[in-house]
Amino acid sequence: MTQFTSPRPLNLRLQKPCNPLVAPALMRQAGKHGHQQHEVRLRQAAQRELRQEILRVGRPDASP
């Protein structure tokens, strides 16, 4: 069987096959996902109101 194979040179570096999914992934850029300033302000206002209401009502006492 060795008569049909030729030895490879030791300094030959074989390249890996190209992954077709990598190139589009590298082209993507992170950023906003469509959040509008108005929506952000409404959500923050709701969080503030909830926090103030919790402080106004008070937290329950620790049970014994």
Side-chain angles (χ1 to χ4, degrees), residues 9 18 21-24 31 48-50:
C18 183
L21 301 177
V22 171
R48 276 194 301 271
E49 289 176 14
L50 180 62

Side-chain angles (χ1 to χ4, degrees), residues 17-28:
C18 183
N19 185 347
L21 301 177
V22 171
L26 292 176
M27 297 298 284
R28 291 188 199 114

